[in-house]
Amino acid sequence: MIKRRISKEIVIGNVKIGGNNPISVQSMCNTDTRDIEATCRQIKELEEQGCEIVRLAVLNMEAANAIKEIVRKTSVPLVADIHFDYKLAIQCINNGINALRLNPGNIGKRENVEAVVKLAKQQQIPIRIGVNAGSLEKELQEEDIPLYEKMVKSAMKHIQILEDLDFDLIKVSLKSSDVMTTIDAYCSIAEKIPYPLHLGVTEAGTLRGGLIKSAAGIGTLLAEGIGDTIRVSLTESPAEEVTAGFEILKCLGLRKHGVNFVSCPTCGRTRIDLISLAKKVEERFKDLPYPITIATMGCAVNGPGEAKHADFGIAGGVNEGLIFKKGEIIAKVPEDELLEKLEEIIRKSYK
């Protein structure tokens, strides 16, 4: 069992982060925030996937003004991603945003920082300090120390600014496109601060490579007990980020969210088109609301035994297959009836 680092609890909308709360899954819209209808539509799609927090890019005042209507039309907690312009942060808070992603050292004069922090404190709006390896301050870039140490120093500088203003509704991320740099940065800062950590490998890449990098980086940290909320960054539909996030958490036993699918890698004993069958099983049952495990196995000899931990499963044969439940065979049916019969059995079990 993973022993989690217990951090300070903060609240974003109706989602509690840190403490003993479940690790939440986030994503970010790739729409133009000024396009209210498109943005609301994508937020709702993400929410349907299970996304618990959605971040929006706020590049200018028109986008900040759009936040008011977006908040009104959606229900998932929203975070405004802001760089450099403190007025955008103030406008977003006034328009009902639930949290900010903003580095206080990057928004100019101290009075600007004070104005944002004062309002955020009044409205109980958390601020995420987000340090990316590729956009460090120039003076840190020139230091002769490892990159992860530069990232930690940058984060600590921004944290100090907020703490000096008596603000502690803080969440921190330290992301790199390099997996080991990301891991080292988070492990280092986890020992230095009490605040919740937002995990992610930034610029991870397209679907296949990005999933592998993210699983390696985020999964390693979570297994060490580090992390309170995650975003899997992919050059892909944001919905894929959400699916991937929950899959990582499910693999580590940190969340139960929908169906967990397992399938064997095939071998010379396989007498069924297992690859196609496994894909059909996932597609057919992906939206079941039950926290169950469904196995798709290649042979009737070892399948039920190897997947006896599964709640339900299929084991292939020659033009037929076995359906099993908790390792016990309960039906033998023709291959073309397997999915229909499996669904019937699952739904009867949960009536």
Side-chain angles (χ1 to χ4, degrees), residues 331-344:
K332 179 188 284 188
V333 296
E335 182 178 343
D336 60 359
E337 297 177 18
L338 278 170
L339 294 183
E340 185 176 336
K341 186 64 175 178
L342 178 59
E343 182 168 358
E344 176 188 322

Side-chain angles (χ1 to χ4, degrees), residues 81-148:
D81 190 292
I82 293 165
H83 295 272
F84 310 122
D85 190 344
Y86 80 101
K87 293 178 182 177
L88 300 180
I90 289 174
Q91 187 71 355
C92 286
I93 295 174
N94 288 333
N95 283 340
I97 203 72
N98 301 112
L100 300 173
R101 190 272 196 176
L102 176 149
N103 290 348
N106 295 344
I107 58 172
K109 300 176 182 177
R110 184 174 177 83
E111 55 261 37
N112 298 346
V113 179
E114 290 175 349
V116 172
V117 172
K118 180 179 179 181
L119 188 58
K121 190 173 182 180
Q122 287 174 351
Q123 302 295 325
Q124 292 292 284
I125 303 298
I127 295 175
R128 170 160 74 96
I129 290 169
V131 173
N132 279 359
S135 56
L136 292 170
E137 299 90 328
K138 186 178 179 182
E139 63 271 19
L140 284 174
Q141 291 179 25
E142 295 172 352
E143 286 196 30
D144 187 20
I145 56 176
L147 178 55
Y148 82 89

